[in-house]
């Protein structure tokens, strides 16, 4: 045997092995759940093998391209028969109960009830191969206990608490409808449609549905009906830097996703859930995207007050003026420093009593004197340092909690930890920029 060729072959094999190890991926297609899902999809006209399920070391379960997807080409095309929408629910055994109910339930609740019921039916359910691959639990704040909610940045804490309250309200107000479904089940509906079950179904719908408009059904409430659960397609993870075109094609009767930039063979095929910052990704989807270009650190009112001059007799009035002009919301730090809104709010807060007449022009973008501008940069630096300290404390507490946590607790803590680390990164950049400005 030719020795050079043999060595070259060994080198190539080693390189190939190394490449595989670097990816640290675990394919899942051979697992019983996925074999059954593929069979189920095949029966409904989806036969493509160009994406396979894989466990990726960084994003968890997702889909890998088995062949290069060229720019503008199809990533996936899922036939209508595979989609689970409110039309599916309104054609099911649950339809009569929904149609009879007044006031009509929302499209979201209809989908949740159907998912809970189908999960309860287990192998007897037509949708079992799909329901079987759905996560058993989620890392969305709806699942977080209070001590984990408290470790979120303040502005996100507020949104997460509101979301929990809205969910609680949905659960309470749905009790009588759940009870009306009793004839369909042997088990009491109180046990079946528990708070845990609704939370699982709600998160399944919220984290996995694709946007698809439907004709409004007269049997459902007026809330927009834009959800479609899309088995297999919903294994695609999000990447903020990827662009796709997605939608239901009325001619092919398929839900189609096209890649704008393409995807290389053996790489994870990503889609884009929208231009969301990390707060939104965590709130709605239970994860954080590293180096997310849309991410910012929010300055809430409590933090803003830290950077202000308490001796300023006009402080209350200034804050009220900012509030009335919608300038106390969306004040942020990004990778490129403080936002225009934050600096504008600070400029107004920097004004001296005799500069009262300039309030309006400053909010419209007028410049202030160099000494006021320096005051603003120093205040921004104070805010940045305060937020950094808050992050350090949260990260220390997270490390303590992680020690005694169980698996699902650990997953929640890790998501919050990655959010806090991403924020530290942004604040570090901002601090550098502000310090440079002060040195000039
Ligand atoms: C539509 S599903 C995608 C498939 C999902 N990973 C699975 O195993 O079923 C959306 C969920 O995937 C996860 N996810 C999506 N993109 C991610 C990413 N870039 N990094 C980590 N998790 C991600 C989040 O848990 C999100 O709620």
């Amino acid at each position: 045997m030719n020795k050079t060729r043999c060595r070259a072959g060994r080198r190539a094999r080693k390189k190939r092995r190394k490449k595989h190890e670097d990816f640290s991926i675990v394919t899942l297609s051979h697992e019983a759940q996925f074999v059954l899902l593929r069979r189920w999809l095949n029966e409904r006209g989806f036969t493509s093998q160009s994406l396979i399920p894989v466990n990726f070391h960084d994003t968890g379960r997702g889909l890998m391209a088995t062949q290069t997807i060229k720019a503008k080409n199809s990533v996936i095309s899922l036939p209508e028969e595979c989609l689970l929408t409110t039309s599916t629910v309104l054609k099911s055994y649950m339809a009569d109960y929904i149609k009879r109910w007044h006031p009509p339930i929302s499209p979201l609740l209809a989908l949740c009830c159907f998912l809970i019921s189908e999960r309860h039916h287990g192998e007897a359910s037509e949708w079992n191969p799909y329901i079987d691959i759905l996560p058993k639990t989620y890392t969305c704040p709806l699942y977080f206990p209070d001590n984990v909610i408290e470790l979120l940045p303040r502005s996100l804490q507020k949104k997460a608490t509101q979301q929990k309250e809205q969910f609680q309200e949905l659960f309470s107000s749905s009790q009588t409808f759940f009870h009306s479904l009793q004839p369909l089940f042997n088990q009491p509906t109180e046990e079946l449609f528990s708070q845990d079950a609704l939370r699982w179904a709600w998160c399944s719908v919220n984290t996995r549905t694709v946007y698809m408009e439907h004709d409004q059904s007269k049997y459902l409430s007026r809330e927009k009906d834009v959800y479609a659960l899309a088995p297999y397609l919903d294994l695609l993870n999000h990447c903020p830097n990827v662009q796709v075109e997605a939608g239901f094609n009325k001619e092919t009767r398929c839900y189609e996703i096209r890649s704008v930039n393409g995807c290389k063979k053996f790489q994870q095929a990503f889609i884009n859930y929208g231009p969301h910052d990390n707060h939104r990704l965590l709130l709605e989807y239970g994860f954080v995207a590293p180096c997310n270009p849309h991410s910012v650190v929010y300055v809430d009112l409590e933090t803003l007050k830290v950077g202000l001059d308490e001796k300023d007799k006009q402080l209350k009035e200034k804050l009220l003026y900012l509030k009335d002009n919608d300038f106390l919301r969306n004040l942020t730090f990004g990778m490129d420093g403080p936002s225009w809104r934050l600096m504008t709010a600070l400029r107004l807060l920097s004004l001296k009593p005799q500069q009262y007449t300039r309030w309006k022009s400053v909010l419209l973008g007028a410049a202030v004197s160099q000494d006021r501008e320096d005051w603003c940069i120093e205040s921004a630096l104070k805010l940045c340092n305060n937020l950094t300290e808050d992050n350090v404390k949260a990260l220390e507490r997270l490390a303590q909690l992680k020690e005694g946590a169980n698996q699902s607790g650990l997953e929640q803590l890790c998501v919050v930890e990655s959010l806090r680390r991403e924020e530290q990164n942004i604040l570090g950049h901002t601090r550098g920029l502000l310090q440079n400005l002060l040195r000039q």
Side-chain angles (χ1 to χ4, degrees):
M1 200 193 278
N2 179 323
K3 268 195 173 165
T4 328
R5 274 190 58 194
C6 182
R7 233 180 272 131
R10 209 178 306 141
R11 257 204 309 274
R13 273 197 303 279
K14 213 169 156 190
K15 207 170 155 192
R16 268 203 302 275
R17 212 168 32 234
K18 176 121 186 53
K19 204 169 165 191
H20 225 76
E21 279 162 11
D22 285 349
F23 285 157
S24 21
I25 52 167
V26 182
T27 59
L28 301 168
S29 350
H30 57 283
E31 290 196 355
Q33 283 178 314
F34 282 98
V35 172
L36 290 175
L37 180 64
R38 287 301 314 201
R39 195 175 301 157
W40 184 91
L41 289 163
N42 257 281
E43 286 163 8
R44 284 159 183 77
F46 179 75
T47 52
S48 164
Q49 300 282 348
S50 58
L51 296 172
I52 59 164
V54 158
N55 232 337
F56 295 93
H57 73 99
D58 49 354
T59 60
R61 198 171 59 167
L63 291 178
M64 183 183 81
T66 55
Q67 57 202 47
T68 296
I69 300 168
K70 290 197 187 129
K72 306 247 184 303
N73 277 13
S74 168
V75 176
I76 191 166
S77 178
L78 194 70
E80 189 173 23
E81 291 72 16
C82 304
L83 301 176
L84 199 171
T85 65
T86 50
S87 311
T88 320
V89 182
L90 288 171
K91 280 184 213 138
S92 75
Y93 52 87
M94 219 174 245
D96 287 346
Y97 294 83
I98 295 176
K99 288 177 183 172
R100 250 186 262 141
W101 195 253
H102 282 282
I105 65 166
S106 67
L108 171 73
L109 186 63
L111 276 175
C112 286
C113 288
F114 188 71
L115 275 184
I116 295 171
S117 167
E118 289 297 292
R119 183 170 73 156
H120 168 70
H121 289 135
E123 285 183 9
S125 158
E126 182 196 339
W127 293 90
N128 189 50
Y130 171 54
I131 291 183
D132 221 26
I133 65 113
L134 291 178
K136 308 290 175 260
T137 181
Y138 292 89
T139 48
C140 299
L142 212 48
Y143 274 84
F144 291 1
D146 288 346
N147 66 336
V148 180
I149 293 272
E150 280 163 18
L151 293 172
L152 293 170
R154 252 194 306 267
S155 62
L156 183 56
Q157 240 176 74
K158 242 188 225 163
K159 289 182 201 152
T161 308
Q162 272 167 8
Q163 194 186 57
K164 273 187 148 188
E165 285 165 3
Q166 280 162 5
F167 171 77
Q168 196 58 47
E169 168 57 28
L170 175 71
F171 178 64
S172 308
S173 62
S174 307
Q175 289 303 311
T176 44
F177 175 69
F178 294 156
H179 192 62
S180 79
L181 299 174
Q182 190 59 72
L184 291 172
F185 307 99
N186 293 328
Q187 210 176 321
T189 50
E190 295 80 38
E191 286 172 20
L192 258 171
F193 294 88
S194 65
Q195 188 162 329
D196 268 356
L198 185 64
R199 188 169 51 168
W200 167 81
W202 192 93
C203 286
S204 300
V205 173
N206 206 44
T207 63
R208 309 186 73 85
T209 43
V210 286
Y211 185 90
M212 181 175 162
E213 288 196 6
H214 312 278
D215 294 336
Q216 203 76 34
S217 162
K218 63 176 177 182
Y219 301 116
L220 296 172
S221 73
R222 297 287 92 199
E223 273 134 301
K224 273 204 139 197
D225 192 352
V226 289
Y227 313 101
L229 280 159
Y232 207 71
L233 182 150
D234 67 358
L235 289 167
L236 287 162
N237 285 325
H238 165 81
C239 175
N241 307 316
V242 152
Q243 274 177 281
V244 292
E245 285 161 7
F248 185 71
N249 183 332
K250 285 189 178 150
E251 278 159 29
T252 60
R253 309 290 316 162
C254 287
Y255 196 93
E256 295 177 351
I257 298 185
R258 239 161 238 289
S259 170
V260 171
N261 314 311
C263 172
K264 286 197 186 125
K265 185 177 176 175
F266 298 143
Q267 290 206 340
Q268 178 164 193
F270 285 105
I271 55 170
N272 194 316
Y273 300 174
H276 306 317
D277 66 26
N278 277 339
H279 282 204
R280 178 93 189 268
L281 287 178
L282 179 46
L283 188 67
E284 305 292 349
Y285 300 95
F287 77 101
V288 164
C291 306
N292 183 350
H294 305 292
S295 261
V296 287
V297 177
Y298 288 91
V299 180
D300 60 301
L301 182 58
E302 221 173 297
T303 309
L304 182 68
K305 286 181 179 165
V306 170
L308 304 181
D309 181 2
E310 280 174 25
K311 284 183 236 131
D312 180 354
K313 293 210 171 73
Q314 288 174 328
L315 186 57
K316 245 188 174 172
E317 260 180 291
K318 284 177 178 170
L319 288 173
L320 200 62
Y321 189 73
L322 286 173
K323 186 167 187 261
D324 289 346
N325 287 281
D326 195 27
F327 259 91
L328 283 185
R329 209 176 43 83
N330 245 342
L331 307 178
T332 58
F333 288 113
M335 285 303 251
D336 51 357
S339 65
W340 179 83
R341 283 174 65 84
L342 175 57
M343 283 312 281
T344 305
L346 287 175
R347 281 187 192 110
L348 183 116
L349 290 160
S350 77
L351 294 177
K352 298 202 163 147
Q354 60 274 27
Q355 295 173 306
Y356 178 80
T357 50
R358 304 202 46 206
W359 285 19
K360 194 172 174 189
S361 63
V362 165
L363 280 203
L364 290 172
V368 289
S369 60
Q370 191 55 51
D371 86 303
R372 295 298 78 199
E373 193 63 24
D374 289 346
W375 182 94
C376 292
I377 296 169
E378 276 165 22
S379 299
L381 196 54
K382 261 195 228 168
L383 298 178
C384 179
N385 288 337
N386 182 273
L387 288 165
T388 306
E389 269 170 40
D390 185 49
N391 266 332
V392 170
K393 278 190 204 140
L395 283 165
E396 280 167 8
R397 184 76 192 117
L398 282 160
Q400 286 167 358
L401 289 179
K402 272 170 78 180
E403 275 173 24
N406 59 18
Q407 183 58 29
S408 82
L410 196 61
E411 284 170 10
Q412 296 171 358
L413 295 168
C414 286
V415 176
V416 181
E417 189 180 32
S418 41
L419 176 70
R420 290 290 192 170
R421 289 202 190 287
E422 288 298 315
E423 300 217 335
Q424 282 299 68
N425 191 23
I426 294 174
L427 292 169
H429 272 262
T430 279
R431 193 177 320 109
L433 288 167
L434 291 170
Q435 282 166 343
N436 277 346
L437 282 176
L438 277 180
R439 266 184 228 120
Q440 279 169 15

